[in-house]
Amino acid sequence: TQLLEQSPQFLSIQEGENLTVYCNSSSVFSSLQWYRQEPGEGPVLLVTVVTGGEVKKLKRLTFQFGDARKDSSLHITAAQTGDTGLYLCAGQFYNQGGKLIFGQGTELSVKP
Amino acid sequence: SQTIHQWPATLVQPVGSPLSLECTVEGTSNPNLYWYRQAAGRGLQLLFYSVGIGQISSEVPQNLSASRPQDRQFILSSKKLLLSDSGFYLCAWRELVNTGELFFGEGSRLTVL
């Protein structure tokens, strides 16, 4: 059974600080996604990474996919209160058809 | 454009009662469909997914079941609810051409008393 380990589970920081969230697995991902979720709503896609070593940027968010395609990170620079939310990684593994599983989530709170 | 709807939005049910959550997708054909459950502030647990009519993959052994009677309809059911079935249930369809993005329904909050 493939598992995604996401860390940290909770993060409380001051506005302007930087942070990194990690997503790891013992299995190789065919693709990995990062989502952000607001309370009471469904998650919304931030990025999809498919190539080992890939780096994608979305304004102050930087996403990295490990060379071995077993891990990924989300780095936020100069966090703002609007970044508060639940961040989720989701991975698809080889030979798993349509199966897409999520990590445990990182609940981020950015204080003014 | 594609849309996804699930209902009911909120449900309060006694232990031992049946459950039926329905999800429909419009604007796409033969979508991959998913049912997830989420505890408060936590990740999404994959319950079932379907790559076609009548094709259901179950991820977690439990007292829930899923059916896909039509191409764009996905139903989550239970004959007898347990307290542990309480949670936020999300239906989703997956876009397979470009990003592989999951698009979620509005969610159904189930409380079993």
Side-chain angles (χ1 to χ4, degrees):
Chain A
T1 301
Q2 295 93 350
L3 294 173
L4 272 73
E5 297 293 331
Q6 190 174 339
S7 63
Q9 294 184 24
F10 301 96
L11 200 52
S12 181
I13 62 172
Q14 295 297 127
E15 200 169 26
E17 293 182 357
N18 302 330
L19 67 112
T20 303
V21 178
Y22 301 92
C23 184
N24 299 281
S25 176
S26 58
S27 301
V28 176
F29 299 109
S30 61
S31 67
L32 186 137
Q33 300 177 325
W34 286 93
Y35 289 81
R36 180 167 175 264
Q37 185 180 19
E38 299 284 351
E41 299 179 4
V44 176
L45 181 70
L46 296 173
V47 77
T48 298
V49 287
V50 295
T51 305
E54 185 174 7
V55 177
K56 285 190 173 181
K57 292 193 174 184
L58 187 64
K59 296 183 180 179
R60 294 175 293 100
L61 277 61
T62 301
F63 304 86
Q64 289 190 311
F65 200 18
D67 291 339
R69 303 170 73 170
K70 291 184 177 182
D71 59 278
S72 181
S73 65
L74 158 60
H75 182 80
I76 301 179
T77 303
Q80 300 176 356
T81 56
D83 294 327
T84 294
L86 182 66
Y87 290 82
L88 299 152
C89 63
Q92 179 165 339
F93 299 93
Y94 286 103
N95 303 318
Q96 289 294 312
K99 183 176 174 180
L100 190 67
I101 63 173
F102 281 79
Q104 304 96 321
T106 296
E107 194 153 4
L108 172 65
S109 174
V110 182
K111 301 184 186 307
Chain B
S1 62
Q2 300 88 358
T3 58
I4 179 169
H5 297 291
Q6 65 177 102
W7 66 92
T10 306
L11 205 56
V12 180
Q13 293 286 106
V15 169
S17 64
L19 171 74
S20 181
L21 300 179
E22 190 165 341
C23 174
T24 59
V25 180
E26 296 294 333
T28 186
S29 59
N30 196 31
N32 281 12
L33 296 172
Y34 302 79
W35 277 111
Y36 290 92
R37 179 170 62 200
Q38 185 176 34
R42 307 306 297 138
L44 277 65
Q45 179 188 29
L46 178 61
L47 301 176
F48 302 93
Y49 68 98
S50 171
V51 299
I53 296 175
Q55 299 178 62
I56 308 294
S57 295
S58 174
E59 289 302 302
V60 182
Q62 56 203 348
N63 67 320
L64 299 173
S65 62
S67 62
R68 186 170 177 173
Q70 300 180 44
D71 181 42
R72 292 170 291 176
Q73 184 184 27
F74 205 23
I75 299 172
L76 182 70
S77 304
S78 174
K79 292 182 179 179
K80 289 186 177 182
L81 284 168
L82 306 172
L83 287 174
S84 58
D85 292 324
S86 294
F88 190 50
Y89 289 80
L90 287 159
C91 178
W93 74 276
R94 192 171 185 198
E95 186 276 318
L96 297 175
V97 175
N98 295 312
T99 64
E101 179 176 1
L102 282 172
F103 293 90
F104 289 87
E106 304 91 336
S108 299
R109 187 163 302 283
L110 171 65
T111 303
V112 183
L113 301 175

